[in-house]
């Protein structure tokens, strides 16, 4: 529903309400005249009859009264639809288009961070700060940080070993000691950037044959650790493996102030020609115990149960933590018209359509790593398919192949893809996630210049999720202006994440800056400004408007 139609509806209801008020005043005046005895009996009956006729005609035209429609419910539905589209408090005229602007930071094989596995702690911190500063410079607002690349941890864990991608040796902690995830969260939040912890649920080893640490899941459950090509993969159907993955994720949810949990497309491994996945023994045991599912359905059920369990566990522990999944971009060949490619339903055993239908995630990020124009895998055709299969109205943040501009695509391809995503705002296409950070880090092909000047020239808050929380925080108080400085009192609310600063221009209000929760003053140029509190879910308070001369 667009804003113009909402305004027209509001004017319609306003006219009807005014008519009722006028009618009420007329009835009141007639009653007063009855009491004063200033009209005849005939006039009394005539006036009452006339009032009844007018009232009946009004009721026919006023569906809120003539039917059982609940206007509060109607308004709440309108509000939820606007919130889901990122339109916050439009009645005030102070708003901006919300957008999720994410980037994946891969730690596996030192793709993005740290750049090498034997860096000093100071070098690791320096690189991470540089990533966050670059994100802030480009007005990106969400970091998807890989914290469990293959049964290991880039954070302090009593369950799994320190990652060799961090320290060079699995199980060896950083020296001097620090917690990279805690450090990343604190530094991200200072810059008003969300941090989503990215987990790989079943991969135990990417390549090589270095020994596993004693507390690695492949050491603890060797009977379920399969060599598959150059990978080691844990058995998704084993209860011990399922419990391990679930417990690891919930440990992070409980102990860290993360904004989201994120899974990518690796469930069962991508198939290798001529190499069957070696799960026949556990599948035969399932059948011997009375199981009736065929092999493929059994594999899908293993993944389905894990997805639901993770979703339910997160919501039972911290309901505000978002759960997002980034699947392979094609659900099934031919599902989207003219599309060919890998069948993830039958190859990765990921029934993503079921997960969406059941609402087992808060956002979906299909990896649409193809160009707009090719007929076999088309970016807009695939995006439209995912958007059309979203009955629970969850957010869709498309995954974009930023890495392809290195030697395949012009930067303009990414620019066009973001524009296509934005055109589908009404279908809840509310942002993009880019793979991967090293392209931004190194400004390859001058991509940063395009993003800063054209794609993301101004900041944006992430879209709110009203099904998780739609309660706005308290309005900032004690606003003062002095010598070009706007200051306000810090809020007593613990839920405040940041402050949004809007400025009024000739064409309306624009979000010009977002500052962290500990900042309570800002120097500005002359003009009119509005200050809003923003909570951890992106809900905004009512504004305080000031003029600076």
């Amino acid at each position: 529903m667009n804003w113009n139609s909402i305004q027209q509806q509001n004017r319609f209801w306003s006219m009807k309400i005014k008519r009722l008020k006028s009618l009420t005043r007329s009835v009141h005046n007639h009653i007063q005249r009855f009491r004063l005895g200033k009209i005849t009996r005939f006039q009394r009956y005539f006036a009452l009859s006339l009032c009844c006729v007018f009232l009946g005609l009004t009721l026919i035209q006023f569906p809120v009264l003539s039917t059982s429609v609940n206007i509060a419910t109607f308004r709440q539905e309108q509000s939820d639809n606007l919130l889901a589209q990122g339109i916050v408090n439009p009645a005030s005229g102070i708003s901006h288009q919300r957008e999720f602007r994410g980037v994946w930071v891969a730690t596996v094989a030192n793709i993005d961070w740290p750049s090498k596995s034997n860096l000093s702690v100071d070098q690791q911190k320096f690189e991470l700060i540089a990533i966050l500063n670059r994100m802030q410079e480009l007005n990106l607002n969400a970091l998807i940080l890989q914290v469990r690349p293959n049964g290991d941890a880039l954070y302090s864990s009593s369950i799994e070993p320190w990652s060799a991608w961090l320290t060079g040796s699995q199980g060896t902690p950083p020296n001097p000691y620090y917690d990279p995830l805690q450090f990343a969260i604190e530094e991200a939040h200072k810059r008003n950037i969300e941090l989503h912890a990215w987990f790989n649920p079943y991969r135990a080893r990417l390549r090589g044959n270095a020994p596993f640490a004693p507390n690695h899941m492949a050491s603890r459950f060797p009977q379920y650790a399969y060599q598959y090509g150059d990978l080691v993969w844990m058995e998704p159907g084993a209860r011990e493996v399922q419990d391990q993955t679930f417990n690891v994720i919930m440990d992070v949810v409980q102990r860290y102030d993360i904004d989201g949990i994120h899974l990518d497309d690796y469930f069962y491994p991508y198939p290798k020609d001529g190499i069957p996945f070696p799960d026949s023994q556990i599948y035969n045991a399932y059948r011997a115990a009375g199981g009736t599912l065929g092999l493929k359905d059994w594999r899908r059920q293993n993944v389905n149960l894990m997805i639901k369990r993770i979703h339910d566990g997160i919501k039972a522990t911290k309901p505000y933590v978002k759960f997002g999944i980034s699947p392979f971009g094609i659900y099934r060949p031919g599902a989207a018209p003219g599309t060919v490619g890998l069948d993830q339903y039958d190859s990765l055993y990921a029934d993503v359509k079921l997960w969406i239908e059941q609402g087992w995630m808060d956002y979906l990020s299909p990896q649409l790593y193809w160009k707009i124009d090719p007929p076999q895998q088309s970016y807009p055709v695939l995006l439209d398919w995912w958007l059309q299969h979203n009955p629970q109205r969850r957010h869709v943040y498309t995954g974009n192949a930023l890495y392809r501009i290195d030697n395949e695509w012009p930067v303009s391809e990414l620019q066009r893809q973001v524009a296509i995503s934005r055109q589908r705002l009404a279908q809840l296409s509310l942002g993009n996630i880019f793979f991967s950070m090293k392209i931004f880090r190194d400004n390859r092909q001058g991509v940063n210049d395009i993003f800063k000047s054209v794609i993301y020239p101004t900041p944006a808050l992430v879209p709110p999720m009203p099904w998780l929380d739609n309660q706005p925080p308290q309005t900032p108080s004690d606003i003062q202006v002095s010598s070009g400085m706007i200051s306000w009192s810090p809020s007593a609310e613990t839920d405040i994440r940041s402050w949004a600063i809007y400025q009024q221009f000739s064409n309306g209000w624009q979000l010009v800056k977002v500052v962290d929760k500990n900042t309570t003053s800002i120097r500005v140029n002359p003009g009119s400004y509005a200050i809003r509190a923003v909570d951890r879910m992106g809900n905004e308070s009512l504004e305080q408007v000031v003029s600076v001369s």
Side-chain angles (χ1 to χ4, degrees):
M1 183 180 294
N2 62 44
W3 178 233
N4 289 333
S5 66
I6 293 173
Q7 287 182 312
Q8 292 171 0
Q9 290 183 28
N10 286 343
R11 285 195 292 269
F12 174 80
W13 298 124
S14 178
M15 291 174 59
K16 298 305 178 185
I17 290 170
K18 287 180 181 177
R19 180 181 294 183
L20 278 180
K21 287 182 178 179
S22 175
L23 182 60
T24 302
R25 285 194 296 268
S26 176
V27 172
H28 177 75
N29 290 338
H30 282 303
I31 291 173
Q32 288 297 99
R33 295 179 68 186
F34 294 162
R35 289 175 176 172
L36 295 174
K38 293 182 179 180
I39 60 174
T40 66
R41 179 176 297 178
F42 171 78
Q43 288 174 319
R44 294 175 190 172
Y45 290 145
F46 179 78
L48 287 173
S49 300
L50 195 60
C51 287
C52 290
V53 170
F54 283 162
L55 182 60
L57 291 173
T58 302
L59 288 173
I60 291 172
Q61 299 179 59
F62 199 24
V64 174
L65 295 177
S66 63
T67 71
S68 299
V69 174
N70 185 329
I71 193 168
T73 301
F74 174 76
R75 287 174 176 167
Q76 183 62 48
E77 289 175 353
Q78 279 191 335
S79 175
D80 287 350
N81 286 336
L82 291 172
L83 280 169
Q85 295 180 36
I87 303 171
V88 181
N89 194 18
S92 72
I94 301 174
S95 62
H96 73 286
Q97 182 52 59
R98 301 299 194 91
E99 190 168 35
F100 193 91
R101 303 170 176 178
V103 61
W104 279 289
V105 172
T107 58
V108 66
N110 302 113
I111 292 174
D112 293 309
W113 179 84
S115 60
K116 297 178 182 178
S117 62
N118 58 353
L119 295 181
S120 69
V121 166
D122 285 343
Q123 288 173 312
Q124 291 174 11
K125 290 182 176 181
F126 177 83
E127 287 189 352
L128 193 52
I129 290 294
I131 286 172
L132 291 165
N133 285 342
R134 180 56 55 87
M135 291 181 65
Q136 189 174 30
E137 174 190 347
L138 298 176
N139 286 318
L140 300 170
N141 57 25
L143 166 62
I144 316 299
L145 179 63
Q146 190 176 32
V147 299
R148 191 205 196 216
N150 33 228
D152 48 5
L154 280 94
Y155 59 92
S156 177
S157 174
S158 62
I159 303 175
E160 294 193 308
W162 284 98
S163 176
W165 304 118
L166 182 73
T167 63
S169 176
Q170 192 173 92
T172 300
N175 185 23
Y177 178 84
Y178 85 117
D179 187 328
L181 178 55
Q182 184 62 35
F183 179 78
I185 292 169
E186 292 172 358
E187 293 297 328
H189 288 175
K190 286 179 186 177
R191 293 161 177 80
N192 307 296
I193 294 171
E194 287 195 348
L195 192 142
H196 295 225
W198 166 17
F199 294 80
N200 291 92
Y202 304 116
R203 187 172 61 204
R205 178 186 284 151
L206 180 65
R207 57 174 179 256
N209 56 5
F212 292 110
N215 62 334
H216 190 277
M217 58 182 176
S219 295
R220 295 181 59 208
F221 313 114
Q223 71 276 29
Y224 299 128
Y226 305 149
Q227 189 73 43
Y228 187 69
D230 55 352
L231 304 170
V232 175
W233 209 269
M234 302 304 294
E235 169 56 67
R239 182 68 184 191
E240 294 90 336
V241 174
Q242 296 169 2
D243 289 346
Q244 177 79 6
T245 296
F246 177 78
N247 292 337
V248 163
I249 291 174
M250 293 312 303
D251 174 57
V252 170
V253 172
Q254 291 164 356
R255 293 194 295 119
Y256 291 91
D257 188 24
I258 56 171
D259 299 288
I261 292 293
H262 186 93
L263 302 182
D264 58 19
D265 52 323
Y266 290 105
F267 298 102
Y268 280 79
Y270 278 78
K272 297 181 181 296
D273 290 341
I275 306 178
F277 189 70
D279 58 354
S280 57
Q281 184 173 352
I282 188 171
Y283 174 67
N284 290 338
Y286 158 80
R287 292 299 297 263
T292 59
L293 293 175
L295 177 62
K296 291 184 176 182
D297 287 335
W298 173 76
R299 288 174 175 172
R300 275 187 288 272
Q301 178 180 257
N302 294 332
V303 181
N304 292 342
L305 293 174
M306 175 57 71
I307 296 299
K308 184 179 188 302
R309 186 180 179 189
I310 293 171
H311 170 270
D312 292 351
I314 292 169
K315 301 312 173 188
T317 306
K318 290 182 180 177
Y320 55 81
V321 171
K322 304 169 186 177
F323 183 35
I325 299 177
S326 176
F328 181 71
I330 300 170
Y331 175 61
R332 305 206 71 179
T339 299
V340 300
L342 178 80
D343 188 339
Q344 71 175 308
Y345 182 84
D346 260 354
S347 298
L348 307 181
Y349 305 100
D351 190 356
V352 187
K353 184 171 176 286
L354 173 68
W355 310 342
I356 301 169
E357 291 170 347
Q358 296 299 317
W360 292 343
M361 65 185 77
D362 298 304
Y363 69 88
L364 175 73
S365 301
Q367 297 174 23
L368 303 188
Y369 290 175
W370 300 280
K371 295 180 74 173
I372 295 168
D373 299 325
Q376 292 186 328
Q377 301 98 12
S378 167
Y379 182 90
V381 170
L382 287 166
L383 176 56
D384 286 340
W385 187 89
W386 289 107
L387 294 172
Q388 291 161 8
H389 293 82
N390 182 20
Q392 299 292 338
R393 294 184 61 77
R394 299 305 192 233
H395 291 180
V396 176
Y397 311 141
T398 308
N400 297 80
L402 183 67
Y403 69 94
R404 288 190 182 271
I405 70 168
D406 235 5
N407 50 28
E408 301 175 62
W409 295 357
V411 178
S412 59
E413 176 71 25
L414 269 296
Q415 186 177 342
R416 291 173 62 207
Q417 290 186 0
V418 173
I420 286 170
S421 295
R422 287 171 168 169
Q423 290 165 6
R424 288 147 174 80
L425 167 69
Q427 288 81 40
L428 300 181
S429 172
L430 297 175
N432 302 81
I433 308 178
F434 300 93
F435 187 83
S436 69
M437 184 63 206
K438 66 182 178 183
I439 307 299
F440 289 137
R441 182 192 67 198
D442 302 336
N443 192 21
R444 299 186 187 178
Q445 309 300 322
V447 63
N448 293 356
D449 304 324
I450 299 298
F451 269 77
K452 284 191 291 186
S453 62
V454 180
I455 300 178
Y456 299 145
T458 57
L461 299 173
V462 299
M465 294 182 170
W467 61 92
L468 297 183
D469 176 11
N470 64 355
Q471 297 301 311
Q474 294 179 358
T475 305
S477 59
D478 301 328
I479 299 284
Q480 298 182 16
V481 177
S482 177
S483 302
M485 292 285 293
I486 305 174
S487 61
W488 57 93
S489 294
S491 173
E493 284 194 62
T494 58
D495 196 26
I496 298 297
R497 174 62 62 80
S498 57
W499 308 95
I501 317 298
Y502 291 85
Q503 184 176 0
Q504 189 174 32
F505 296 95
S506 59
N507 59 346
W509 289 89
Q510 179 178 307
L511 180 69
V512 292
K513 197 171 185 62
V514 182
V515 298
D516 76 284
K517 64 180 180 181
N518 297 318
T519 300
T520 55
S521 64
I522 184 172
R523 183 171 296 280
V524 297
N525 295 321
S528 294
Y529 293 86
I531 316 296
R532 284 178 169 174
V534 185
D535 67 18
R536 67 175 305 128
M537 293 303 300
N539 297 308
E540 287 182 275
S541 71
L542 294 175
E543 61 276 349
Q544 290 276 16
V545 179
V546 295
S547 180
V548 179
S549 58

